[in-house]
Amino acid sequence: MRVLNFFRSSLYYSRMAGNLKATRLDHLANEIESLISVVEKEIAGFVVAAVATEEKENALLQKEVLKSKEELINLQKKNGVSHIEIPGANISKTPKQEKKQEQKPKTAKISAPKTQEKAALPVHFGRLDLRMGKILEVNEHPQAENLYVETIDVGEEQPRTVISGIRKHISKENLLATPVVVACNLKPAKLRGVKSYGMLLCAVSDKSVEPLRSPADARPGQRLQVEGVECMPDAELNPKEKVFETVAKQLRINSDKVLVYNDVAVTCGDSKGFITTKNMSDCSVA
């Protein structure tokens, strides 16, 4: 019986000791876990602080590098050395530095050489389109006392309207009976509200004005020509070139009442006659 009780007691105390040991192990495990948590937090704090310190140091280092670079560039400029930016450079710029970035000096643009302008054509009689004309109708200009409005056949499908300032010098009846000469490639011009598509050529002096007369056998539309001068009239004379004004200075009525260009008689088409005046001689033409 005593032996049995002894075994019972031993078994109880063994169980008690095992329970106590298990409790102590659980407590120790909890302490270790708490210690590990504390250590992890401290390590994380050290890591964050280290990263922040490294970023701060990197930023300061970049500022120092940029400052040194600017000083070097300024020194190069003072010594007349051009600065060349290295392609692919990874040094970043702060917003302030981007705003203060120097503007590149403007260089004068070198334009490509212009193509040689077309040479100006020589000014001579052949550039004028002077034709024989037949006046079909003459009317007083409604807004000008010294102007006629004439309808003239110059060999085209439709007659042309021409304004002439000869109303005070010749009657309508005499004008209708005269085969005239018309400058046909002048730029059309509006005179007192009416557009004129040509000009009547006249002999002019200080006191008189008289229309030039084409030969009796000439037909409307035949061009005036001068021997030795190629007749290639412009489609329309450029007023800036003053071709008509220049040629007109070399046109005259000679002492025989014949129109001449540089002292060479002016003829009309295949007609053998000359361009003449009825009464005037030794005068200019306009």
Side-chain angles (χ1 to χ4, degrees), residues 97-169:
Q97 288 170 335
E98 289 179 352
K99 291 181 181 179
K100 293 181 180 179
Q101 184 180 12
E102 291 187 22
Q103 294 181 350
K104 294 182 181 179
K106 294 181 179 180
T107 56
K109 292 183 179 180
I110 302 175
S111 57
K114 295 181 179 180
T115 56
Q116 187 175 5
E117 294 183 1
K118 184 179 178 181
L121 295 173
V123 177
H124 56 74
F125 182 89
R127 292 182 63 183
L128 302 185
D129 185 4
L130 304 181
R131 303 184 206 171
M132 180 269 176
K134 181 180 180 181
I135 297 179
L136 305 177
E137 185 178 357
V138 179
N139 294 296
E140 292 84 359
H141 194 294
Q143 298 181 15
E145 294 181 356
N146 62 330
L147 298 180
Y148 277 136
V149 179
E150 302 136 5
T151 302
I152 306 177
D153 178 9
V154 290
E156 297 171 336
E157 291 184 3
Q158 298 293 330
R160 293 195 181 201
T161 298
V162 176
I163 310 298
S164 301
I166 58 175
R167 185 170 166 182
K168 293 182 178 180
H169 301 278

Side-chain angles (χ1 to χ4, degrees), residues 34 64-65 84 122 126 180 234 265:
S34 298
E64 290 296 328
V65 172
I84 301 175
V180 294
D234 294 14

Side-chain angles (χ1 to χ4, degrees), residues 30-46:
N30 291 333
E31 287 183 352
I32 290 172
E33 289 180 358
S34 298
L35 182 60
I36 290 173
S37 178
V38 172
V39 171
E40 287 178 347
K41 289 181 179 180
E42 290 181 354
I43 291 173
F46 285 135

Side-chain angles (χ1 to χ4, degrees), residues 123-276:
V123 177
H124 56 74
F125 182 89
R127 292 182 63 183
L128 302 185
D129 185 4
L130 304 181
R131 303 184 206 171
M132 180 269 176
K134 181 180 180 181
I135 297 179
L136 305 177
E137 185 178 357
V138 179
N139 294 296
E140 292 84 359
H141 194 294
Q143 298 181 15
E145 294 181 356
N146 62 330
L147 298 180
Y148 277 136
V149 179
E150 302 136 5
T151 302
I152 306 177
D153 178 9
V154 290
E156 297 171 336
E157 291 184 3
Q158 298 293 330
R160 293 195 181 201
T161 298
V162 176
I163 310 298
S164 301
I166 58 175
R167 185 170 166 182
K168 293 182 178 180
H169 301 278
I170 187 170
S171 66
K172 288 195 295 183
E173 292 74 20
N174 288 335
L175 195 57
L176 283 167
T178 304
V180 294
V181 175
V182 181
C184 293
N185 62 341
L186 301 179
K187 184 176 181 179
K190 185 174 287 188
L191 302 175
R192 297 291 185 91
V194 181
K195 204 164 190 178
S196 178
Y197 295 89
M199 184 176 72
L200 207 63
L201 260 63
C202 296
V204 179
S205 68
D206 294 338
K207 298 180 181 180
S208 302
V209 175
E210 182 182 334
L212 300 185
R213 302 163 61 93
S214 59
D217 60 344
R219 300 183 304 276
Q222 287 185 314
R223 283 197 174 96
L224 273 60
Q225 57 194 18
V226 175
E227 185 177 357
V229 179
E230 186 178 10
C231 186
M232 293 186 65
D234 294 14
E236 183 176 290
L237 295 175
N238 184 350
K240 294 182 179 179
E241 290 187 69
K242 297 187 180 300
V243 176
F244 180 84
E245 292 82 352
T246 302
V247 173
K249 292 178 182 179
Q250 301 172 60
L251 291 172
R252 285 190 57 79
I253 303 298
N254 64 13
S255 57
D256 295 324
K257 303 179 183 178
V258 173
L259 174 66
V260 295
Y261 172 72
N262 287 336
D263 297 327
V264 179
V266 178
T267 59
C268 181
D270 55 2
S271 173
K272 295 181 180 180
F274 298 118
I275 307 302
T276 61

